[in-house]
Amino acid sequence: MSDHLRVVCAHCATINRVLRDRLNAGARCGSCKEPLLPGRPIELTAANFDRHVAGNDLPLVVDFWAPWCGPCRMMAPAYERAAAQLATQARIAKLDTESEQGIATRFGIRSIPTLVAFRDGREVARQSGAMDLPGLLRWIGASA
Ligand SMILES: [Zn+2]
């Protein structure tokens, strides 16, 4: 296992190499100095999506959602808390399927919310339907 982990900055998308032991809530991006592990969902767009999928050594979980989707909005507070609790274990992100339809189509997203977990650049798990916080933590722990 490498001593270093690659972490894509949520703010500027620079790929940081961080010593595994130093990866904590205080870690900052070497380029823009923003916190590397913000403890809240990272907003993904067509501009940074592939970089986050390929460039993070931590597992990446993406919530495919939309502003008009009631169950998505209901799940949002639990998802934010999951992001805070898992800040050093996984990259927790969200993608607005309304503004980023190309990516939603590429992944064949037919219902939302849908969670997709990626590891080493590949999809490893997928789950549709809203979950509460215990359900989210369980699914992310088992899948990502
Ligand atoms: Zn940065």
Side-chain angles (χ1 to χ4, degrees), residues 9-14 16 29-34 36:
C9 175
H11 187 71
C12 73
T14 293
N16 287 257
C29 173
S31 178
C32 72
K33 312 299 179 199
E34 290 291 314
L36 265 186

Side-chain angles (χ1 to χ4, degrees), residues 24-47:
N24 57 47
R28 286 182 180 272
C29 173
S31 178
C32 72
K33 312 299 179 199
E34 290 291 314
L36 265 186
L37 308 176
R40 60 176 184 273
I42 302 164
E43 303 275 350
L44 297 185
T45 64

Side-chain angles (χ1 to χ4, degrees), residues 10 40-45 48 52 65 92-96:
R40 60 176 184 273
I42 302 164
E43 303 275 350
L44 297 185
T45 64
N48 64 4
H52 274 274
W65 74 292
I92 304 295
K94 55 200 300 178
L95 180 110
D96 182 341

